[in-house]
Amino acid sequence: MKKQITSSLMSILVGLLAGFVVMMIIALASPDIAFYRVFKGMGLLISGPFNGTHIMTNVGNMIFKATPLIMCGLSVAIAFKTGLFNIGAAGQYLMGTLVSLSIVLNNDCTGKPAKGFFIWLLAVLCGMVAGGIWGCIPGFFKAIFGVNEVIVCIMTNWIAANITSWVFSAQKTIQATGKGGYLITTKATGNATPSLGLDKLFQGANIDLGIFIAVLIALLIHVILNKTTFGFELKSCGYNKDASKYSGMNEKRNIILSMAIAGALSGLGAALYYLNPGIEFNFNAAYMKLPDVGFNGIPVALLAASNPIGSIFSALFVRYINMGGEYMVSAGFNRYSADIIIALIIYFAGFTNLFSSILANINKKKAEKKAIAGENEKCVENGNEQSTENENEKNTENKCETVKEAE
């Protein structure tokens, strides 16, 4: 655990240094940006949500937007544990969005809080199921036919995007009036995610119950992977699929279940995000651009070294940096250069495993030197003991000779 945390912190530090270098290059190449603004821009980036006057609102929104990122990070992480690369989190996320929003927006629960909570809970569960079913597709093709899961995931991503746009474009009753391509929000139907008073603590923010659900799910996944037989089988399948098979484990079932769980987590992340009363969904653009959160789950999982609990903190870090990037415009950097710097930091976050292996090699060399030093000490001690024994033998011989001479 200590090695994982150290390697993650090293990745973040290298990413920040790389971003700083890029900012210097941009400042030197642009006559409109004074060089001192590089330090101001880096300060704004590192300050994250603590810029501006509405700090509590910014922090609340950062936590809220980290919720789906935690779920997508967990989705990628649990697939990594089984030796799979779930690049299909974006499509699974969209299917969770499609099903959960279809349920809540077609059921008006205004003035009926009990019914609203039941519909919300049903939508969350169905969003999970939809994402899980979508995740089963690449898992099935991988387990049964040996098809690379990355290829199938890319195909299912765009299929999900087109299905989502097609279904919502046909449902005129839930489209926002006067705003083309958008759906109404759960604020209009009275079945939004409960806020539990967090909206009063973080006034003006969209934060709600979702963050607690995400943290509980992360803890549950940690327990499953490390404390249950099923989790052991999943990890064994990731370490060596053939060895798992010959030891009596059903590797095909584990591959399919792993991708199903991964898909369910992405679908849950979508439900927790879009069931918030302040979030609108642009269905008209879904078929043109896949959701970023599905792909950002990859660096979150890498930065956390596929640790479920670590995914919580790495997702918060990614959202923290993204929010800081939004303020870099005031330092003279346009939004595109800010995006490049943020992308660099997130990119270097994926080098956690590299730094982890470097640390492992350093520790290995230290252990070898310590072992060699220990062996040398033993040799010296043995040599001293041997010389002492030789001296004792000589003394004994000398005594014997002296006795013989006396006789």
Side-chain angles (χ1 to χ4, degrees):
M1 179 63 73
K2 183 180 178 180
K3 186 176 72 175
Q4 291 178 352
I5 294 172
T6 305
S7 57
S8 296
L9 291 175
M10 288 174 66
S11 299
I12 292 170
L13 180 61
V14 171
L16 290 172
L17 289 173
F20 184 72
V21 170
V22 171
M23 290 170 67
M24 287 195 296
I25 294 171
I26 292 172
L28 291 172
S30 176
D32 300 327
I33 303 176
F35 191 76
Y36 76 90
R37 290 185 178 272
V38 173
F39 299 94
K40 181 181 178 180
M42 181 55 69
L44 292 170
L45 183 68
I46 295 174
S47 299
F50 298 102
N51 292 298
T53 55
H54 305 287
I55 294 175
M56 292 300 288
T57 303
N58 292 342
V59 172
N61 283 328
M62 180 196 76
I63 296 172
F64 168 69
K65 291 181 179 180
T67 300
L69 195 54
I70 292 170
M71 301 313 301
C72 288
L74 288 171
S75 173
V76 176
I78 198 167
F80 277 156
K81 289 289 187 181
T82 323
L84 302 170
F85 186 22
N86 181 27
I87 202 173
Q92 297 148 16
Y93 187 86
L94 283 172
M95 293 307 291
T97 303
L98 170 63
V99 173
S100 59
L101 283 179
S102 295
I103 292 172
V104 294
L105 299 184
N106 284 293
N107 287 276
D108 190 358
C109 303
T110 307
K112 302 173 183 177
K115 181 184 176 183
F117 179 77
F118 173 77
I119 294 297
W120 170 82
L121 183 59
L122 178 65
V124 168
L125 294 174
C126 289
M128 285 183 65
V129 172
I133 293 172
W134 209 248
C136 275
I137 298 173
F140 175 81
F141 279 94
K142 174 70 174 181
I144 305 303
F145 302 107
V147 180
N148 190 296
E149 71 275 10
V150 174
I151 297 172
V152 183
C153 283
I154 292 171
M155 294 173 65
T156 53
N157 278 345
W158 289 108
I159 293 171
N162 282 275
I163 289 174
T164 302
S165 290
W166 170 54
V167 171
F168 281 138
S169 62
Q171 298 186 54
K172 303 293 183 182
T173 56
I174 61 173
Q175 294 181 19
T177 55
K179 202 169 187 180
Y182 283 85
L183 301 177
I184 59 174
T185 67
T186 53
K187 184 178 181 180
T189 54
N191 40 30
T193 305
S195 63
L196 297 182
L198 292 172
D199 55 336
K200 296 178 181 178
L201 178 61
F202 300 93
Q203 290 187 2
N206 293 317
I207 188 171
D208 56 23
L209 173 67
I211 184 62
F212 297 111
I213 295 175
V215 171
L216 286 174
I217 293 294
L219 294 173
L220 179 62
I221 295 297
H222 177 76
V223 171
I224 290 173
L225 288 175
N226 296 289
K227 303 295 182 181
T228 66
T229 304
F230 175 63
F232 175 77
E233 289 188 2
L234 289 181
K235 291 191 292 184
S236 297
C237 187
Y239 289 132
N240 194 318
K241 183 178 67 174
D242 296 325
S244 300
K245 178 181 178 181
Y246 291 125
S247 63
M249 300 177 190
N250 191 334
E251 87 287 357
K252 293 182 179 179
R253 182 202 65 182
N254 290 337
I255 289 173
I256 296 172
L257 285 177
S258 173
M259 288 301 295
I261 295 171
L265 293 171
S266 296
L268 175 60
L272 293 177
Y273 183 72
Y274 282 110
L275 297 187
N276 185 280
I279 301 300
E280 296 177 316
F281 180 64
N282 184 1
F283 68 88
N284 202 33
Y287 77 96
M288 295 186 290
K289 185 178 183 297
L290 295 171
D292 294 336
V293 66
F295 298 106
N296 286 339
I298 298 171
V300 166
L302 291 172
L303 184 58
S306 298
N307 186 300
I309 297 176
S311 297
I312 300 171
F313 298 101
S314 57
L316 287 169
F317 168 74
V318 170
R319 284 307 314 160
Y320 184 97
I321 289 296
N322 271 300
M323 189 159 284
E326 294 173 3
Y327 289 93
M328 287 180 61
V329 178
S330 61
F333 296 90
N334 61 39
R335 182 62 209 172
Y336 302 107
S337 58
D339 286 341
I340 291 171
I341 294 161
I342 293 166
L344 266 175
I345 294 169
I346 294 174
Y347 174 77
F348 277 99
F351 282 72
T352 304
N353 290 334
L354 173 63
F355 290 117
S356 181
S357 62
I358 291 171
L359 289 173
N361 289 332
I362 292 171
N363 291 332
K364 185 179 177 181
K365 288 179 180 179
K366 285 182 179 179
E368 288 176 352
K369 288 181 179 179
K370 191 175 181 180
I372 292 169
E375 289 177 0
N376 291 335
E377 287 179 3
K378 287 181 181 179
C379 290
V380 171
E381 289 175 0
N382 292 334
N384 291 335
E385 290 176 359
Q386 187 66 37
S387 61
T388 304
E389 290 177 359
N390 293 334
E391 288 178 1
N392 291 334
E393 288 177 0
K394 287 181 179 178
N395 291 333
T396 304
E397 290 176 358
N398 292 332
K399 285 180 182 179
C400 291
E401 290 177 358
T402 304
V403 171
K404 286 179 181 180
E405 289 176 358
E407 290 177 352

